C-alpha cells in the first residue's frame, strides 16, 4: 500500500512540477516585460530627483527574477527528489516552495495596501515633466514629453475648459491634439490598471500553487520516509 501511494505521489509530483516551471517562467517573463517595456522605461529613465517610480521599477524587476528562479529551482529539486526518492532533495524543494510563498505574501499585501502608489509615482513624473516644459519650451524635457505622448498615444493634460497650450501643439502626436479622450493622466491610469490586474491574478495563482506544492512535497517526503523504513525503497513485487 505504501509503495502504491508513493508511486501515485511521484506521478502527481512530476506532472505538477512542469506546471511550477511554467509558472516560474511566466513570472520571469512578466518581470522582464515590465522592466524593459517602453511605457515603463520612458518614465523610469527620466532624470528627476523626485522620480520615486525608478526605485519601484528596479525593485519589482529584481524581486520578480529572484522569485521566478527560486520557483524553477524548487520544481527541479522536487523532480529530482521524485526520481531518486531522496528525502534530502524533497526537503530542499519544500524549503524553496516555502521561500517563494513567504516572498509572495508581503508582495500581495503591498499590492493591495499600496494599490495606487505605482500609478501616483508615474503620474507625478509626468506632471513634473509637463510643467517644466510648459514653463520653459526650450527645455530638453520636451523630447521626453514627446516620447511619452507617442508611447501612450495621448496628448497632454486637458483643463475642464477644453483649452490647450503650446505644449500640446509641440509635443502631441499628429491627429491627437485637442482630443479630450486622449488625456495622458487617464491613459496612464487605464494602462496601469490592466497591467496591475494581470499582476494581481498571477500573484493569486502563484500563492495557491505554492500551498499545493508544499503539501505535495510534504506527503512525498513522508511517503519516501515510510517506504525507506519498510525496506521497500525502489522495490515493486507483482503477485
Amino acid at each position: 500500500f505504501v509503495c502504491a501511494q508513493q508511486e501515485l505521489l511521484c506521478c502527481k509530483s512530476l506532472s505538477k512540477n512542469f506546471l511550477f516551471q511554467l509558472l516560474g517562467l511566466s513570472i520571469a517573463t512578466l518581470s522582464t516585460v515590465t522592466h524593459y517595456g517602453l511605457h515603463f522605461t520612458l518614465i523610469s529613465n527620466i532624470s528627476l530627483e523626485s522620480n520615486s517610480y525608478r526605485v519601484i521599477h528596479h525593485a519589482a524587476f529584481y524581486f520578480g527574477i529572484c522569485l521566478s528562479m527560486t520557483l524553477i529551482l524548487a520544481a527541479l529539486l522536487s523532480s529530482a527528489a521524485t526520481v531518486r526518492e531522496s528525502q534530502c532533495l524533497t526537503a530542499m524543494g519544500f524549503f524553496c516552495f516555502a521561500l517563494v510563498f513567504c516572498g509572495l505574501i508581503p508582495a500581495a499585501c503591498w499590492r493591495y495596501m499600496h494599490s495606487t502608489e505605482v500609478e501616483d509615482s508615474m503620474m507625478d513624473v509626468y506632471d513634473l515633466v509637463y510643467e517644466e516644459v510648459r514653463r520653459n519650451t526650450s527645455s530638453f524635457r520636451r523630447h521626453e514629453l514627446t516620447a511619452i505622448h507617442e508611447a501612450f498615444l495621448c496628448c497632454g493634460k486637458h483643463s475642464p475648459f477644453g483649452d490647450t497650450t503650446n505644449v500640446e501643439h509641440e509635443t502631441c502626436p499628429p491627429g491627437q491634439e485637442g482630443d479630450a479622450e486622449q488625456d495622458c493622466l487617464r491613459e496612464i491610469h487605464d494602462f496601469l490598471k490592466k497591467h496591475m490586474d494581470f499582476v494581481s491574478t498571477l500573484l493569486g495563482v502563484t500563492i495557491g500553487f505554492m500551498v499545493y506544492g508544499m503539501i505535495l512535497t510534504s506527503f512525498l517526503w513522508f511517503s519516501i520516509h515510510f517506504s525507506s523504513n519498510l525496506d521497500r525503497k525502489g522495490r515493486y513485487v507483482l503477485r
Side-chain angles (χ1 to χ4, degrees):
F1 173 76
V2 174
C3 292
Q5 185 183 34
Q6 181 181 352
E7 186 178 4
L8 179 61
L9 285 173
C10 288
C11 293
K12 282 188 176 181
S13 179
L14 288 174
S15 61
K16 296 303 181 183
N17 286 335
F18 179 71
L19 294 178
F20 291 139
Q21 293 182 43
L22 289 180
L23 195 58
L25 290 174
S26 299
I27 296 174
T29 302
L30 178 63
S31 302
T32 303
V33 170
T34 302
H35 189 261
Y36 294 104
L38 178 62
H39 298 80
F40 301 101
T41 54
L42 280 175
I43 303 296
S44 177
N45 291 337
I46 292 176
S47 55
L48 292 172
E49 294 182 359
S50 58
N51 190 349
S52 58
Y53 173 73
R54 185 183 293 114
V55 178
I56 301 174
H57 183 75
H58 292 294
F61 173 70
Y62 293 118
F63 177 78
I65 292 298
C66 292
L67 207 64
S68 64
M69 293 300 103
T70 305
L71 179 54
I72 292 174
L73 177 62
L76 292 175
L77 287 173
S78 184
S79 297
T82 302
V83 174
R84 297 188 178 185
E85 299 183 18
S86 170
Q87 291 179 262
C88 180
L89 291 176
T90 305
M92 292 173 63
F94 176 85
F95 174 77
C96 289
F97 281 126
L99 195 63
V100 174
F101 179 79
C102 291
L104 287 171
I105 294 301
C109 292
W110 186 90
R111 167 68 184 93
Y112 288 103
M113 294 179 66
H114 304 272
S115 58
T116 62
E117 188 167 336
V118 178
E119 178 183 332
D120 292 342
S121 62
M122 291 186 72
M123 288 185 175
D124 287 343
V125 172
Y126 178 81
D127 279 333
L128 290 172
V129 174
Y130 181 90
E131 292 301 324
E132 188 171 335
V133 173
R134 189 176 64 82
R135 289 193 303 267
N136 181 13
T137 56
S138 64
S139 171
F140 71 94
R141 298 290 184 197
R142 183 171 55 187
H143 300 289
E144 296 175 335
L145 186 62
T146 302
I148 294 175
H149 287 168
E150 291 176 351
F152 285 93
L153 297 177
C154 59
C155 183
K157 300 188 302 181
H158 300 281
S159 69
F161 303 102
D163 57 336
T164 60
T165 66
N166 290 331
V167 176
E168 280 78 11
H169 291 288
E170 297 175 356
T171 62
C172 285
Q176 293 183 346
E177 181 183 336
D179 188 354
E181 296 300 324
Q182 300 298 327
D183 184 283
C184 280
L185 296 181
R186 181 184 301 172
E187 291 298 316
I188 291 174
H189 168 76
D190 293 342
F191 173 79
L192 281 179
K193 184 179 184 303
K194 295 177 182 178
H195 186 79
M196 297 307 291
D197 286 345
F198 184 77
V199 171
S200 300
T201 302
L202 188 60
L203 277 175
V205 171
T206 307
I207 289 175
F209 269 93
M210 290 309 97
V211 174
Y212 180 78
M214 289 188 291
I215 294 174
L216 188 63
T217 49
S218 298
F219 276 105
L220 183 61
W221 187 91
F222 282 109
S223 178
I224 295 173
H225 175 73
F226 289 126
S227 178
S228 177
N229 287 346
L230 291 173
D231 194 26
R232 295 183 58 85
K233 183 177 178 181
R235 239 187 267 171
Y236 301 93
V237 180
L238 181 63
R239 293 184 180 179

